[in-house]
Amino acid sequence: MKKHKSDLVVVGAGAAGLFASIHATELGLKVLTLEKNEYAGKKLFITGKGRCNVTNDSDIGNFINQIYPNGKFLYPAFKNFFVDEVISFFEKQNVPLELERGGRYFPKSNKSSDIVNALVNRCKSLKINILYNSKVINILSENNEIFGLEYESNNTKFQVETKKIILCTGGKSYPLTGSTGDGYNFAQKLGHTIIDPKPSLVSLICKDNFFENIDNLTLKNIKANLMIDNKICKCEFGELEIQGKILLGPVILTLSRWAVEALEKKQKVDIVIDFKPALDYEQLNKRLIKDFNENSKTKFENLLKLIIPIKLIPVFIKVLEIDKNKLANQLNSNERKKIIQQLKEFKISIFENSGFANAIITNGGINTKEINPQTMESKIIKGLFFAGEIIDLDAKTGGYNLQIAFSTGWLAAM
Ligand SMILES: Cc1cc2nc3c(=O)[nH]c(=O)nc-3n(C[C@H](O)[C@H](O)[C@H](O)COP(=O)(O)OP(=O)(O)OC[C@H]3O[C@@H](n4cnc5c(N)ncnc54)[C@H](O)[C@@H]3O)c2cc1C
């Protein structure tokens, strides 16, 4: 086995690993970065639909509130390196960021490749030794202290002697990008507890066939309640997309964290959509009476065009069991009540989630109780540090997850 030496080995050249490598080198360490892919930042390239939502314009308190299950763990990391530092880092690399709706920062160029290139170019200018196609296969420790690791490259095994390792191997989501959960196995072998990894920020699959003929529909300004065992557990406003039996869009992605956990516990999971959140039942009743009176000779099918998107009309006719040819002036108050009920409480039973292959983030990972929040060092193994999605921390969409990776990478390097 071929051997070499390094002050620090960073495992993984994703968001966290690149930041950790850069900062550790800036602080004077000789760093070796090992990446099993053929290039760096494979996942970063696909973030924000190819635009990369780099961070969010929130203060620390609000940031922490968006992060589960223990956002407070990140306080020291955010105190050291937060939103302003990220903006200034990319500005120095000639990649200015721009603020968009919802406090989201994107590169002005709208290209995630500019973010990856900025990081890789900074690594090059610091002469960081990044070895690609190099898969770490074993972490070596003795008496609860790191002394090296083994990796494989071109069918050859190598050993690196080091006293410090930062594990930045990501979670399990989008495994094609390289995040296949390797870090969990290393950490578990070394005595760490892994909180069961689950897909999160993931689309949900309906049990019923209501929407099977709808190829693509975006509903804006709706309210969605997540019901677990018939009790409302979370509520979100905003945009929801329907693609056949699959529900997605920001509202669903945010609710998915709790839906997935409940489905795993075999609980009953429903999404209840309010298509008219701006109107209460009474206001909606008045609005329908007015519409029906003004269009008294209009067929029910055409009347629905005034109330819901065209693609939903066959769904409503089926669920309401009202004859589509009935005229507005033939609809009775019971039928109007049924329409109102479906507009305010359209219930969709959820069967399962779309899995890690389609999940933006992993819920679960290395238990934060076993990591020192001031340093990111393992409380079990001296010299072992963690950064990024490998840690049991996840947030909703909005740039929060990348900021977690950047800040923890930075702190671990320190
Ligand atoms: C489709 C999609 C869109 C997203 N959009 C956004 C967004 O716009 N904003 C946002 O904040 N977050 C977004 N995220 C989440 C964000 O990408 C992650 O939170 C972030 O990339 C995690 O960084 P990381 O460095 O911890 O892990 P990763 O980026 O997954 O990097 C881990 C690296 O480790 C390498 N590795 C793994 N095992 C080994 C091994 N044994 N040996 C060597 N190398 C190894 C992998 O190949 C990989 O390169 C998105 C995620 C997805 C999937």
Side-chain angles (χ1 to χ4, degrees), residues 12 15-16 35-37 47-48 53 136 174 178-179 182 360 389 399 402:
E35 169 55 57
K36 69 178 174 184
N37 286 332
T47 53
N53 178 190
V136 171
Y174 270 67
S179 343
D182 299 10
I360 287 177
E389 198 176 321
L402 280 175

Side-chain angles (χ1 to χ4, degrees), residues 193-349:
T193 318
I194 311 301
I195 307 297
D196 185 28
K198 294 176 262 308
S200 196
L201 297 182
V202 66
S203 48
L204 300 175
I205 303 173
C206 310
K207 220 178 241 174
D208 313 295
N209 293 328
F210 295 136
F211 305 128
E212 63 182 348
N213 295 322
I214 298 180
D215 53 351
N216 203 338
L217 172 65
T218 301
L219 300 166
K220 292 192 172 155
N221 304 319
I222 56 100
K223 178 177 136 189
N225 279 327
L226 171 70
M227 311 238 336
I228 295 179
D229 284 343
N230 299 318
K231 280 194 202 121
I232 296 177
C233 123
K234 292 272 166 194
C235 171
E236 283 292 320
F237 286 87
E239 208 170 287
L240 182 151
E241 289 169 41
I242 299 171
Q243 286 175 7
K245 290 189 97 171
I246 298 174
L247 298 184
L248 59 168
V251 156
I252 293 298
L253 295 186
T254 305
L255 295 177
S256 70
R257 187 181 198 282
W258 294 275
V260 171
E261 285 185 347
L263 287 165
E264 286 214 350
K265 289 184 204 151
K266 306 274 177 242
Q267 288 173 299
K268 183 173 170 336
V269 176
D270 301 292
I271 300 284
V272 178
I273 303 178
D274 180 350
F275 292 95
K276 302 286 172 195
L279 302 176
D280 63 23
Y281 286 78
E282 195 40 50
Q283 289 166 327
L284 188 55
N285 188 33
K286 279 186 187 153
R287 149 107 195 257
L288 290 190
I289 291 173
K290 184 171 164 274
D291 286 349
F292 291 6
N293 284 339
E294 286 173 3
N295 302 279
S296 59
K297 296 288 177 212
T298 305
K299 285 182 184 174
F300 177 53
E301 185 179 31
N302 293 329
L303 208 54
L304 282 173
K305 284 184 195 159
L306 302 171
I307 313 167
I308 49 171
I310 290 176
K311 285 187 181 177
L312 280 179
I313 293 177
V315 179
F316 264 70
I317 289 176
K318 194 168 166 194
V319 172
L320 288 164
E321 295 175 327
I322 297 176
D323 179 359
K324 62 180 180 181
N325 294 314
K326 221 169 183 182
L327 301 181
N329 62 7
Q330 293 171 328
L331 291 166
N332 60 37
S333 64
N334 266 348
E335 286 169 325
R336 201 171 60 246
K337 258 191 206 154
K338 265 166 79 179
I339 299 168
I340 292 170
Q341 208 218 337
Q342 292 304 337
L343 285 172
K344 296 292 288 176
E345 298 172 46
F346 193 98
K347 197 179 209 180
I348 305 163
S349 294

Side-chain angles (χ1 to χ4, degrees), residues 11-18 34-37 39-44 46-49 51-55 106 134-137 168-171 173-174 177-183 186 359-361 387-390 396-403 405:
V11 186
L18 289 168
L34 298 171
E35 169 55 57
K36 69 178 174 184
N37 286 332
Y39 57 90
K42 203 165 186 176
K43 185 175 277 179
L44 262 176
I46 59 165
T47 53
K49 297 185 176 156
R51 295 177 61 223
C52 188
N53 178 190
V54 185
T55 184
F106 289 88
S134 300
K135 182 181 174 182
V136 171
I137 48 174
C168 308
T169 47
S173 55
Y174 270 67
T177 63
S179 343
T180 47
D182 299 10
F186 301 140
I360 287 177
I361 199 85
E389 198 176 321
I390 188 172
K396 64 180 196 179
T397 59
Y400 304 101
N401 287 299
L402 280 175
Q403 182 70 52

Side-chain angles (χ1 to χ4, degrees), residues 16-17 19-20 23 166 168 386-388 404-414:
F19 259 89
H23 197 45
I166 309 182
C168 308
F386 301 100
I404 297 175
F406 301 151
S407 296
T408 52
W410 202 261
L411 183 58
M414 286 172 75

